[in-house]
Amino acid sequence: MEYNPIKKEEVSKMSVMPNLLDYEKAREDFRWEDISKELDELDDGCLNIAYEIIDRHAKTSLKDRVALYWEGDNGEGEEYSFSDLCRLTNRFANVLKNLGLNKGDRVFTYGDRIPEIYISLIAALKAGGVIGPLFSAFGPDAVKDRLGDCEARFLITTPKLARIVEKVVEDLPALEKVIIINRKNVAYELKEKEASYEDLMKNASDLFDIEKTDKEDYAIIHYTSGTTGKPKGVVHAHEAVVGHYATAKYVLDLHPDDIYWCTADPGWVTGTSYGIFGPWSNGISQVVYEGGFRASNWYKVIEKYKVTVWYSAPTAIRMLMKAGEGVVAKYDLKSLRYLCSVGEPLNPEAILWGNKAFGLPFHDNWWQTETGCIQIANYPIQDVRPGSMGRPFPGVTATILDENCEKELPPGKEGHLALKAGWPSMFRTFWNRQELYESKFQNGWYITGDRATMDADGYFWFVGRADDVINTAGHLVGPFEVESALMEHPAVAEAGVIGVPDSLAMEVVKAFVSLKDGYEPSDELRRDIKKFAKKKLHAVACPRKIDFLPGLPKTKSGKIMRRLLKARELGLPEGDTSTLEE
Ligand code: AMP
C-alpha cells in the first residue's frame, strides 16, 4: 500500500496543527532524555508521577484550569482545578501517612469512577505508595487474589463494595485499613479495620511534602491475565510518566485548549495511563464520566463538555455503530476534532463509520499493560491505514520475530510482535515473579505475546494472540482463571475455556464442562454454574455460553486441549492430535 503523508496544504487546513508534524524526522531525532527534560523533576533528580501530573501545574498559570470535569451517573457535574486536586491529594496523602503508610506500601482502590478514587490514587503516589486500581465489577475472589498477592496494606472503597470486601478481609492479613468513601452519606456502620474517608479528610492538612521517589521506585500495579495461573501483577515505576506524557502529546495529540475524554476505567491500564497520567502530565482538562455505556449518554457527555479529543475502544465503537447514526444526529458533536481507539483490533468498517458519523476517522493504536504506554499508532499527520495498528512511536523499535524469537522477519511475514527493551514505561517486573518476567525477554527484545505482520512501509497489522488468552470487549481473560473458578462448582469435574467470535465484543468466553458422577446436564444446572461463576469472576470473564461434554479432550500429560475445543467449535481442521489422550 502506498504511504500517503498528509501534504503541508492539508495540514494548514486542520483545525489544530498536530504536535507530530514529521514522523520520519521524529524517529531520527527522538531521545527519551529530551522528553524527560520537558518534565519538571523534583530536586536531586527525583521523580514522582503525582508531582508531574498535578503539583507542578498548581504552581503555574495552569493552577485554575479545570483538570477534572466529573459527570456523575445521575447527571450531576463537578469541577476540580489543578490547584483543587493538589490540595485534596495533599490532604489524603497526609491521611495515609498518618495511618502509617511507608514508601512502597501497596494501596488499592475499588470503586466507581468518582473523584475520590482519582484523588486517592494520586495521593497514594504522593505519599510514596504503590497504587493498584481495581474495577468495581470485581467479585470477592478477584479482590482477594490481587490484594493477597502483593500484600496490600490499604484499600479505599465505597459502602456498596465494602460488603464484598467483608467476605475476604479475613483472608487478607496484610490489609490494615479499609477507607470508606461515602459521598452520598448513606447509612453505614464502620466495621473493624474500617475508617471514614470524609472524617479522615476533615482533619487532614492541606500541606504535604511529596515523597522524593526515584524514577525507578515502583508506582503502579495492574493485574493482567496469562495462559496459566492467576493474574500477574505488572509493576511500573515512576519513570513511566515520561512515556505517558510523550504519547499523550504526540499520539493523542493533546493541545492546551483540548477537552479530552478517555472512556476507560482506571481498573484497566488505559484508564490510568490515559485517564489520569497522560492528559494531566500535559496539563490538559479531561472529563470523567461515572456512568456505563449508553450511546445517547456518551453523546450527551461530548456535547455538554465540548469534548475535542476522544479515546475509546473497538467494542464501544461497535456498540455506537449498532445504536446507529440516528442517535448521533440528535447531538451537537462538532467540538470533536480527533478520535483514537485501543484494546482490540479496530475493524476497517468502524473507521469508515467514524468518518460517516462524526466526519473523523478513529485512529487505532496498540499497547499492553506491560508496555505502560502506546507503542504503535496511527498519527494525525498520516492517513489512517484501516485495519493497521499503525507505526511504532518515535522512541520505540518494534519488529516481527520468527517462531523461536531469534531472527527478525522481513515485511509481509507473520511472527511474534516484539519491542526493543528499554522505553521508560516498560514494566519493571511481575510482582513476586521475576523469573516469569525475565522469560518475556530474549536477546534484548520484549516478546509481547501477540502475532502480527509488518508491511513494507513499517505499518504493523495485528494477527492474534500467540497464547490462549481471550480478548473480550478489550479485557484480557486467562482461560485458566475461569476454568479454576468453574471447577469449584460442586457439579463440575473438568472445565475447558475458549474465546468464540462475537460481533460486538470480538470474542466471548465459552466453557465446556464435564460433570461429576451423579449430576445430569440441564438448563437449570447451566444457569447455576453461570451464577456461581459470576460470584467468583469479573463480569466480563464469566462464560456467556456453557456446553456439557461427557469428557474433555486432553493431552497424554493430562492438559485440556483448548486448541482442539476451539477447532471443533469453529469447524476448523483439528491439526496435530498426536498428543491427544486415547
Ligand atoms: P491489556 O494488557 O489488557 O491492555 O491487553 C493488551 C492486548 O490487547 C494486546 O496484547 C493485544 O492482544 C490487544 N490489543 C491492544 N490494542 C490492540 C489493537 N490496537 N489491535 C489489536 N489488538 C490490540
Side-chain angles (χ1 to χ4, degrees):
M1 218 187 280
E2 206 188 330
Y3 167 54
N4 243 343
I6 292 177
K7 297 181 194 70
K8 281 241 164 52
E9 321 74 273
E10 286 169 353
V11 169
S12 66
K13 276 190 241 146
M14 287 177 152
S15 57
V16 171
M17 191 74 77
N19 286 326
L20 185 76
L21 275 171
D22 188 336
Y23 176 79
E24 312 294 344
K25 188 158 172 1
R27 279 207 77 77
E28 270 168 39
D29 295 350
F30 194 93
R31 304 272 173 284
W32 285 110
E33 305 83 86
D34 296 340
I35 298 285
S36 298
K37 283 187 201 133
E38 291 179 34
L39 296 176
D40 202 353
E41 293 183 18
L42 290 169
D43 306 339
D44 310 323
C46 296
L47 185 69
N48 187 302
I49 296 180
Y51 180 79
E52 300 307 330
I53 64 173
I54 302 293
D55 289 17
R56 74 184 178 115
H57 305 309
K59 289 182 184 165
T60 70
S61 55
L62 293 186
K63 65 180 191 298
D64 297 325
R65 174 179 286 176
V66 176
L68 170 62
Y69 289 103
W70 181 72
E71 175 77 4
D73 214 357
N74 301 319
E76 61 273 51
E78 291 175 14
E79 292 183 7
Y80 297 81
S81 65
F82 281 102
S83 59
D84 292 334
L85 287 183
C86 179
R87 189 173 40 79
L88 291 164
T89 54
N90 275 352
R91 277 187 172 221
F92 197 64
N94 277 314
V95 165
L96 290 170
K97 275 282 176 202
N98 294 340
L99 291 173
L101 179 134
N102 296 316
K103 189 174 158 194
D105 281 347
R106 273 73 62 209
V107 181
F108 275 66
T109 57
Y110 179 38
D112 294 327
R113 289 180 294 278
I114 52 174
E116 292 83 351
I117 289 289
Y118 291 76
I119 290 164
S120 303
L121 290 168
I122 299 165
L125 289 169
K126 275 192 167 174
V130 178
I131 58 169
L134 299 181
F135 283 108
S136 58
F138 277 158
D141 284 21
V143 173
K144 183 177 79 180
D145 289 347
R146 287 159 177 79
L147 268 66
D149 182 62
C150 66
E151 297 171 293
R153 273 187 80 195
F154 299 94
L155 175 65
I156 297 113
T157 187
T158 59
K160 185 178 76 185
L161 296 168
R163 299 206 169 92
I164 293 177
V165 177
E166 234 174 76
K167 296 184 186 159
V168 294
V169 74
E170 296 278 293
D171 302 321
L172 296 169
L175 185 63
E176 275 173 39
K177 257 300 165 252
V178 180
I179 301 171
I180 311 285
I181 304 164
N182 191 352
R183 67 163 23 231
K184 294 199 179 126
N185 205 9
V186 296
Y188 184 81
E189 205 175 307
L190 293 169
K191 326 246 161 8
E192 205 198 330
K193 288 196 181 183
E194 291 181 349
S196 149
Y197 176 93
E198 289 76 15
D199 285 353
L200 292 167
M201 282 292 263
K202 232 183 272 161
N203 302 320
S205 158
D206 279 352
L207 303 174
F208 184 74
D209 256 343
I210 195 162
E211 183 77 37
K212 303 271 188 316
T213 40
D214 184 82
K215 67 184 175 52
E216 284 305 318
D217 283 335
Y218 294 166
I220 312 147
I221 297 194
H222 276 289
Y223 278 79
T224 191
S225 297
T227 317
T228 57
K230 302 254 184 191
K232 323 280 182 296
V234 174
V235 181
H236 289 282
H238 280 272
E239 197 193 17
V241 72
V242 178
H244 306 144
Y245 167 79
T247 47
K249 180 169 173 182
Y250 294 115
V251 181
L252 304 180
D253 195 43
L254 296 180
H255 284 66
D257 294 334
D258 276 323
I259 306 287
Y260 163 78
W261 182 29
C262 168
T263 57
D265 186 280
W268 177 32
V269 69
T270 303
T272 50
S273 292
Y274 298 103
I276 301 180
F277 309 135
W280 284 341
S281 58
N282 281 277
I284 305 297
S285 305
Q286 70 163 326
V287 177
V288 168
Y289 175 47
E290 185 191 15
F293 178 85
R294 189 142 178 244
S296 51
N297 288 353
W298 276 30
Y299 296 143
K300 240 181 248 166
V301 168
I302 295 173
E303 182 181 67
K304 176 168 174 188
Y305 293 98
K306 300 193 170 37
V307 171
T308 55
V309 179
W310 186 24
Y311 193 20
S312 197
T315 294
I317 299 167
R318 286 191 290 268
M319 295 198 312
L320 293 172
M321 283 169 76
K322 200 169 162 214
E325 280 158 63
V327 196
V328 180
K330 291 193 190 143
Y331 298 89
D332 176 359
L333 308 179
K334 63 177 176 301
S335 58
L336 288 172
R337 71 164 186 88
Y338 192 56
L339 317 180
C340 294
S341 161
V342 70
E344 312 149 58
L346 181 64
N347 335 46
E349 308 85 77
I351 297 175
L352 300 177
W353 182 78
N355 255 336
K356 217 157 49 146
F358 310 114
L360 298 163
F362 280 95
H363 290 72
D364 189 19
N365 54 66
W366 176 96
W367 58 293
Q368 319 174 293
T369 307
E370 291 87 334
T371 70
C373 77
I374 297 166
Q375 301 289 295
I376 297 178
N378 288 279
Y379 304 88
I381 187 70
Q382 294 159 355
D383 278 353
V384 169
R385 221 165 250 201
S388 165
M389 309 185 285
R391 299 208 282 176
F393 186 70
V396 167
T397 305
T399 196
I400 303 294
L401 295 179
D402 66 3
E403 288 314 305
N404 300 324
C405 296
E406 279 167 359
K407 281 202 215 83
E408 288 185 61
L409 293 175
K413 294 269 181 234
E414 182 192 319
H416 294 277
L417 175 61
L419 305 163
K420 175 95 12 192
W423 67 97
S425 66
M426 186 176 90
F427 68 140
R428 298 302 202 259
T429 191
F430 284 121
W431 190 265
N432 275 340
R433 289 177 179 86
Q434 181 62 15
E435 232 174 84
L436 176 71
Y437 174 74
E438 281 162 19
S439 74
K440 301 284 176 190
F441 295 84
Q442 218 162 306
N443 304 320
W445 293 105
Y446 161 62
I447 318 295
T448 65
D450 282 356
R451 295 181 68 78
T453 60
M454 185 189 72
D455 66 23
D457 300 321
Y459 280 74
F460 284 76
W461 301 75
F462 183 80
V463 173
R465 294 283 308 183
D467 52 24
D468 291 335
V469 172
I470 301 159
N471 188 332
T472 179
H475 297 274
L476 295 195
V477 175
F480 179 82
E481 208 186 321
V482 185
E483 288 160 4
S484 310
L486 294 174
M487 303 262 296
E488 287 178 39
H489 187 281
V492 175
E494 287 173 330
V497 165
I498 60 167
V500 292
D502 181 81
S503 60
L504 269 189
M506 190 171 94
E507 285 187 297
V508 291
V509 177
K510 172 157 189 177
F512 296 87
V513 300
S514 66
L515 298 175
K516 287 184 185 152
D517 286 349
Y519 289 93
E520 289 300 323
S522 69
D523 283 345
E524 198 190 338
L525 181 57
R526 187 178 284 118
R527 275 194 297 275
D528 191 64
I529 297 174
K530 281 190 183 175
K531 208 165 113 200
F532 179 84
K534 254 194 202 131
K535 283 198 207 128
K536 306 241 136 217
L537 297 161
H538 184 320
V540 295
C542 292
R544 193 80 73 81
K545 299 172 186 166
I546 297 180
D547 275 6
F548 295 111
L549 293 178
L552 297 181
K554 286 194 279 306
T555 61
K556 292 187 171 63
S557 58
K559 276 203 197 105
I560 289 167
M561 291 181 81
R562 300 186 190 113
R563 176 178 62 76
L564 207 56
L565 285 171
K566 191 153 184 164
R568 288 176 184 170
E569 172 72 16
L570 303 181
L572 299 172
E574 295 197 351
D576 179 5
T577 51
S578 58
T579 59
L580 186 65
E581 189 190 44
E582 292 303 311

PDB file of all heavy atoms in Angstrom, residues 131-155:
ATOM      1  N   ILE A 131       0.281   2.047  43.739  1.00  0.00           N
ATOM      2  CA  ILE A 131      -1.185   2.006  43.617  1.00  0.00           C
ATOM      3  C   ILE A 131      -1.679   0.817  42.784  1.00  0.00           C
ATOM      4  O   ILE A 131      -1.053   0.424  41.806  1.00  0.00           O
ATOM      5  CB  ILE A 131      -1.754   3.308  43.017  1.00  0.00           C
ATOM      6  CG1 ILE A 131      -1.141   3.598  41.634  1.00  0.00           C
ATOM      7  CG2 ILE A 131      -1.538   4.467  43.969  1.00  0.00           C
ATOM      8  CD1 ILE A 131      -1.850   4.720  40.884  1.00  0.00           C
ATOM      9  N   GLY A 132      -2.813   0.265  43.213  1.00  0.00           N
ATOM     10  CA  GLY A 132      -3.451  -0.828  42.481  1.00  0.00           C
ATOM     11  C   GLY A 132      -4.932  -0.523  42.307  1.00  0.00           C
ATOM     12  O   GLY A 132      -5.715  -0.786  43.211  1.00  0.00           O
ATOM     13  N   PRO A 133      -5.323   0.060  41.164  1.00  0.00           N
ATOM     14  CA  PRO A 133      -6.746   0.373  40.967  1.00  0.00           C
ATOM     15  C   PRO A 133      -7.503  -0.878  40.520  1.00  0.00           C
ATOM     16  O   PRO A 133      -7.035  -1.595  39.641  1.00  0.00           O
ATOM     17  CB  PRO A 133      -6.740   1.407  39.835  1.00  0.00           C
ATOM     18  CG  PRO A 133      -5.314   1.559  39.395  1.00  0.00           C
ATOM     19  CD  PRO A 133      -4.498   0.484  40.017  1.00  0.00           C
ATOM     20  N   LEU A 134      -8.662  -1.131  41.117  1.00  0.00           N
ATOM     21  CA  LEU A 134      -9.467  -2.303  40.745  1.00  0.00           C
ATOM     22  C   LEU A 134     -10.782  -1.854  40.120  1.00  0.00           C
ATOM     23  O   LEU A 134     -11.329  -0.816  40.480  1.00  0.00           O
ATOM     24  CB  LEU A 134      -9.796  -3.136  41.985  1.00  0.00           C
ATOM     25  CG  LEU A 134      -8.630  -3.726  42.767  1.00  0.00           C
ATOM     26  CD1 LEU A 134      -9.166  -4.532  43.960  1.00  0.00           C
ATOM     27  CD2 LEU A 134      -7.744  -4.598  41.897  1.00  0.00           C
ATOM     28  N   PHE A 135     -11.303  -2.685  39.231  1.00  0.00           N
ATOM     29  CA  PHE A 135     -12.639  -2.453  38.675  1.00  0.00           C
ATOM     30  C   PHE A 135     -13.681  -2.656  39.763  1.00  0.00           C
ATOM     31  O   PHE A 135     -13.594  -3.616  40.545  1.00  0.00           O
ATOM     32  CB  PHE A 135     -12.955  -3.490  37.601  1.00  0.00           C
ATOM     33  CG  PHE A 135     -12.285  -3.253  36.291  1.00  0.00           C
ATOM     34  CD1 PHE A 135     -11.239  -4.061  35.879  1.00  0.00           C
ATOM     35  CD2 PHE A 135     -12.728  -2.247  35.446  1.00  0.00           C
ATOM     36  CE1 PHE A 135     -10.636  -3.870  34.646  1.00  0.00           C
ATOM     37  CE2 PHE A 135     -12.126  -2.048  34.211  1.00  0.00           C
ATOM     38  CZ  PHE A 135     -11.083  -2.856  33.811  1.00  0.00           C
ATOM     39  N   SER A 136     -14.736  -1.833  39.747  1.00  0.00           N
ATOM     40  CA  SER A 136     -15.798  -2.033  40.741  1.00  0.00           C
ATOM     41  C   SER A 136     -16.615  -3.279  40.415  1.00  0.00           C
ATOM     42  O   SER A 136     -17.355  -3.774  41.251  1.00  0.00           O
ATOM     43  CB  SER A 136     -16.691  -0.799  40.822  1.00  0.00           C
ATOM     44  OG  SER A 136     -17.242  -0.531  39.561  1.00  0.00           O
ATOM     45  N   ALA A 137     -16.463  -3.832  39.201  1.00  0.00           N
ATOM     46  CA  ALA A 137     -17.229  -5.038  38.824  1.00  0.00           C
ATOM     47  C   ALA A 137     -16.580  -6.315  39.363  1.00  0.00           C
ATOM     48  O   ALA A 137     -17.132  -7.391  39.186  1.00  0.00           O
ATOM     49  CB  ALA A 137     -17.339  -5.116  37.314  1.00  0.00           C
ATOM     50  N   PHE A 138     -15.428  -6.200  40.017  1.00  0.00           N
ATOM     51  CA  PHE A 138     -14.771  -7.403  40.534  1.00  0.00           C
ATOM     52  C   PHE A 138     -15.593  -8.061  41.643  1.00  0.00           C
ATOM     53  O   PHE A 138     -16.194  -7.380  42.481  1.00  0.00           O
ATOM     54  CB  PHE A 138     -13.392  -7.073  41.108  1.00  0.00           C
ATOM     55  CG  PHE A 138     -12.296  -6.995  40.074  1.00  0.00           C
ATOM     56  CD1 PHE A 138     -11.141  -6.276  40.342  1.00  0.00           C
ATOM     57  CD2 PHE A 138     -12.407  -7.645  38.861  1.00  0.00           C
ATOM     58  CE1 PHE A 138     -10.106  -6.206  39.412  1.00  0.00           C
ATOM     59  CE2 PHE A 138     -11.390  -7.582  37.918  1.00  0.00           C
ATOM     60  CZ  PHE A 138     -10.243  -6.866  38.192  1.00  0.00           C
ATOM     61  N   GLY A 139     -15.546  -9.397  41.654  1.00  0.00           N
ATOM     62  CA  GLY A 139     -16.158 -10.151  42.743  1.00  0.00           C
ATOM     63  C   GLY A 139     -15.142 -10.373  43.856  1.00  0.00           C
ATOM     64  O   GLY A 139     -13.964  -9.996  43.712  1.00  0.00           O
ATOM     65  N   PRO A 140     -15.570 -11.010  44.972  1.00  0.00           N
ATOM     66  CA  PRO A 140     -14.691 -11.147  46.130  1.00  0.00           C
ATOM     67  C   PRO A 140     -13.380 -11.878  45.828  1.00  0.00           C
ATOM     68  O   PRO A 140     -12.324 -11.477  46.329  1.00  0.00           O
ATOM     69  CB  PRO A 140     -15.535 -11.946  47.134  1.00  0.00           C
ATOM     70  CG  PRO A 140     -16.751 -12.403  46.407  1.00  0.00           C
ATOM     71  CD  PRO A 140     -16.913 -11.566  45.190  1.00  0.00           C
ATOM     72  N   ASP A 141     -13.427 -12.931  45.010  1.00  0.00           N
ATOM     73  CA  ASP A 141     -12.188 -13.678  44.766  1.00  0.00           C
ATOM     74  C   ASP A 141     -11.174 -12.852  43.986  1.00  0.00           C
ATOM     75  O   ASP A 141      -9.972 -12.932  44.241  1.00  0.00           O
ATOM     76  CB  ASP A 141     -12.484 -14.978  44.009  1.00  0.00           C
ATOM     77  CG  ASP A 141     -13.088 -16.011  44.935  1.00  0.00           C
ATOM     78  OD1 ASP A 141     -13.628 -15.602  45.986  1.00  0.00           O
ATOM     79  OD2 ASP A 141     -13.036 -17.212  44.622  1.00  0.00           O
ATOM     80  N   ALA A 142     -11.673 -12.070  43.025  1.00  0.00           N
ATOM     81  CA  ALA A 142     -10.767 -11.233  42.227  1.00  0.00           C
ATOM     82  C   ALA A 142     -10.078 -10.211  43.137  1.00  0.00           C
ATOM     83  O   ALA A 142      -8.880  -9.926  42.999  1.00  0.00           O
ATOM     84  CB  ALA A 142     -11.539 -10.526  41.122  1.00  0.00           C
ATOM     85  N   VAL A 143     -10.822  -9.681  44.115  1.00  0.00           N
ATOM     86  CA  VAL A 143     -10.245  -8.716  45.064  1.00  0.00           C
ATOM     87  C   VAL A 143      -9.214  -9.432  45.941  1.00  0.00           C
ATOM     88  O   VAL A 143      -8.084  -8.960  46.122  1.00  0.00           O
ATOM     89  CB  VAL A 143     -11.356  -8.081  45.932  1.00  0.00           C
ATOM     90  CG1 VAL A 143     -10.770  -7.206  47.026  1.00  0.00           C
ATOM     91  CG2 VAL A 143     -12.323  -7.284  45.058  1.00  0.00           C
ATOM     92  N   LYS A 144      -9.601 -10.591  46.438  1.00  0.00           N
ATOM     93  CA  LYS A 144      -8.717 -11.343  47.352  1.00  0.00           C
ATOM     94  C   LYS A 144      -7.409 -11.716  46.647  1.00  0.00           C
ATOM     95  O   LYS A 144      -6.318 -11.546  47.205  1.00  0.00           O
ATOM     96  CB  LYS A 144      -9.440 -12.598  47.838  1.00  0.00           C
ATOM     97  CG  LYS A 144      -8.646 -13.408  48.838  1.00  0.00           C
ATOM     98  CD  LYS A 144      -9.412 -14.603  49.350  1.00  0.00           C
ATOM     99  CE  LYS A 144      -9.380 -15.718  48.325  1.00  0.00           C
ATOM    100  NZ  LYS A 144     -10.094 -16.920  48.717  1.00  0.00           N
ATOM    101  N   ASP A 145      -7.515 -12.227  45.413  1.00  0.00           N
ATOM    102  CA  ASP A 145      -6.308 -12.668  44.694  1.00  0.00           C
ATOM    103  C   ASP A 145      -5.323 -11.515  44.531  1.00  0.00           C
ATOM    104  O   ASP A 145      -4.118 -11.683  44.706  1.00  0.00           O
ATOM    105  CB  ASP A 145      -6.668 -13.188  43.292  1.00  0.00           C
ATOM    106  CG  ASP A 145      -7.382 -14.518  43.369  1.00  0.00           C
ATOM    107  OD1 ASP A 145      -7.370 -15.139  44.451  1.00  0.00           O
ATOM    108  OD2 ASP A 145      -7.974 -14.921  42.343  1.00  0.00           O
ATOM    109  N   ARG A 146      -5.833 -10.344  44.163  1.00  0.00           N
ATOM    110  CA  ARG A 146      -4.944  -9.225  43.856  1.00  0.00           C
ATOM    111  C   ARG A 146      -4.339  -8.627  45.118  1.00  0.00           C
ATOM    112  O   ARG A 146      -3.126  -8.440  45.214  1.00  0.00           O
ATOM    113  CB  ARG A 146      -5.697  -8.167  43.034  1.00  0.00           C
ATOM    114  CG  ARG A 146      -5.921  -8.647  41.606  1.00  0.00           C
ATOM    115  CD  ARG A 146      -7.041  -7.922  40.899  1.00  0.00           C
ATOM    116  NE  ARG A 146      -7.168  -8.357  39.509  1.00  0.00           N
ATOM    117  CZ  ARG A 146      -7.773  -9.494  39.117  1.00  0.00           C
ATOM    118  NH1 ARG A 146      -8.308 -10.310  40.014  1.00  0.00           N
ATOM    119  NH2 ARG A 146      -7.836  -9.826  37.832  1.00  0.00           N
ATOM    120  N   LEU A 147      -5.177  -8.328  46.093  1.00  0.00           N
ATOM    121  CA  LEU A 147      -4.663  -7.725  47.321  1.00  0.00           C
ATOM    122  C   LEU A 147      -3.754  -8.709  48.068  1.00  0.00           C
ATOM    123  O   LEU A 147      -2.745  -8.329  48.656  1.00  0.00           O
ATOM    124  CB  LEU A 147      -5.806  -7.293  48.245  1.00  0.00           C
ATOM    125  CG  LEU A 147      -6.274  -5.856  48.069  1.00  0.00           C
ATOM    126  CD1 LEU A 147      -6.913  -5.629  46.721  1.00  0.00           C
ATOM    127  CD2 LEU A 147      -7.239  -5.453  49.172  1.00  0.00           C
ATOM    128  N   GLY A 148      -4.148  -9.983  48.004  1.00  0.00           N
ATOM    129  CA  GLY A 148      -3.370 -11.012  48.701  1.00  0.00           C
ATOM    130  C   GLY A 148      -2.006 -11.191  48.059  1.00  0.00           C
ATOM    131  O   GLY A 148      -0.988 -11.284  48.738  1.00  0.00           O
ATOM    132  N   ASP A 149      -1.973 -11.203  46.736  1.00  0.00           N
ATOM    133  CA  ASP A 149      -0.717 -11.466  46.020  1.00  0.00           C
ATOM    134  C   ASP A 149       0.356 -10.443  46.371  1.00  0.00           C
ATOM    135  O   ASP A 149       1.513 -10.790  46.560  1.00  0.00           O
ATOM    136  CB  ASP A 149      -0.971 -11.454  44.507  1.00  0.00           C
ATOM    137  CG  ASP A 149       0.290 -11.765  43.729  1.00  0.00           C
ATOM    138  OD1 ASP A 149       0.816 -12.877  43.913  1.00  0.00           O
ATOM    139  OD2 ASP A 149       0.750 -10.901  42.955  1.00  0.00           O
ATOM    140  N   CYS A 150      -0.025  -9.172  46.469  1.00  0.00           N
ATOM    141  CA  CYS A 150       1.019  -8.171  46.731  1.00  0.00           C
ATOM    142  C   CYS A 150       0.886  -7.578  48.133  1.00  0.00           C
ATOM    143  O   CYS A 150       1.479  -6.545  48.426  1.00  0.00           O
ATOM    144  CB  CYS A 150       1.022  -7.090  45.648  1.00  0.00           C
ATOM    145  SG  CYS A 150      -0.451  -6.102  45.643  1.00  0.00           S
ATOM    146  N   GLU A 151       0.155  -8.274  48.995  1.00  0.00           N
ATOM    147  CA  GLU A 151       0.049  -7.897  50.417  1.00  0.00           C
ATOM    148  C   GLU A 151      -0.275  -6.415  50.600  1.00  0.00           C
ATOM    149  O   GLU A 151       0.475  -5.679  51.255  1.00  0.00           O
ATOM    150  CB  GLU A 151       1.330  -8.268  51.153  1.00  0.00           C
ATOM    151  CG  GLU A 151       1.571  -9.765  51.146  1.00  0.00           C
ATOM    152  CD  GLU A 151       2.932 -10.136  51.673  1.00  0.00           C
ATOM    153  OE1 GLU A 151       3.937  -9.805  51.008  1.00  0.00           O
ATOM    154  OE2 GLU A 151       2.987 -10.737  52.752  1.00  0.00           O
ATOM    155  N   ALA A 152      -1.386  -6.019  50.020  1.00  0.00           N
ATOM    156  CA  ALA A 152      -1.790  -4.614  50.133  1.00  0.00           C
ATOM    157  C   ALA A 152      -2.075  -4.260  51.593  1.00  0.00           C
ATOM    158  O   ALA A 152      -2.655  -5.058  52.326  1.00  0.00           O
ATOM    159  CB  ALA A 152      -3.030  -4.377  49.281  1.00  0.00           C
ATOM    160  N   ARG A 153      -1.687  -3.040  51.992  1.00  0.00           N
ATOM    161  CA  ARG A 153      -1.949  -2.587  53.381  1.00  0.00           C
ATOM    162  C   ARG A 153      -3.187  -1.715  53.474  1.00  0.00           C
ATOM    163  O   ARG A 153      -3.802  -1.611  54.521  1.00  0.00           O
ATOM    164  CB  ARG A 153      -0.762  -1.765  53.899  1.00  0.00           C
ATOM    165  CG  ARG A 153       0.338  -2.607  54.524  1.00  0.00           C
ATOM    166  CD  ARG A 153       1.386  -1.701  55.163  1.00  0.00           C
ATOM    167  NE  ARG A 153       0.978  -1.194  56.474  1.00  0.00           N
ATOM    168  CZ  ARG A 153       1.580  -0.177  57.099  1.00  0.00           C
ATOM    169  NH1 ARG A 153       2.591   0.445  56.526  1.00  0.00           N
ATOM    170  NH2 ARG A 153       1.172   0.219  58.276  1.00  0.00           N
ATOM    171  N   PHE A 154      -3.514  -1.023  52.348  1.00  0.00           N
ATOM    172  CA  PHE A 154      -4.629  -0.070  52.392  1.00  0.00           C
ATOM    173  C   PHE A 154      -5.570  -0.312  51.215  1.00  0.00           C
ATOM    174  O   PHE A 154      -5.113  -0.608  50.110  1.00  0.00           O
ATOM    175  CB  PHE A 154      -4.110   1.370  52.315  1.00  0.00           C
ATOM    176  CG  PHE A 154      -3.211   1.732  53.456  1.00  0.00           C
ATOM    177  CD1 PHE A 154      -1.832   1.605  53.324  1.00  0.00           C
ATOM    178  CD2 PHE A 154      -3.744   2.159  54.662  1.00  0.00           C
ATOM    179  CE1 PHE A 154      -0.998   1.917  54.387  1.00  0.00           C
ATOM    180  CE2 PHE A 154      -2.914   2.476  55.726  1.00  0.00           C
ATOM    181  CZ  PHE A 154      -1.536   2.346  55.595  1.00  0.00           C
ATOM    182  N   LEU A 155      -6.852  -0.153  51.503  1.00  0.00           N
ATOM    183  CA  LEU A 155      -7.853  -0.271  50.449  1.00  0.00           C
ATOM    184  C   LEU A 155      -8.846   0.878  50.614  1.00  0.00           C
ATOM    185  O   LEU A 155      -9.313   1.144  51.733  1.00  0.00           O
ATOM    186  CB  LEU A 155      -8.582  -1.620  50.557  1.00  0.00           C
ATOM    187  CG  LEU A 155      -9.753  -1.833  49.595  1.00  0.00           C
ATOM    188  CD1 LEU A 155      -9.261  -1.870  48.144  1.00  0.00           C
ATOM    189  CD2 LEU A 155     -10.487  -3.138  49.907  1.00  0.00           C
TER     190      LEU A 155
END
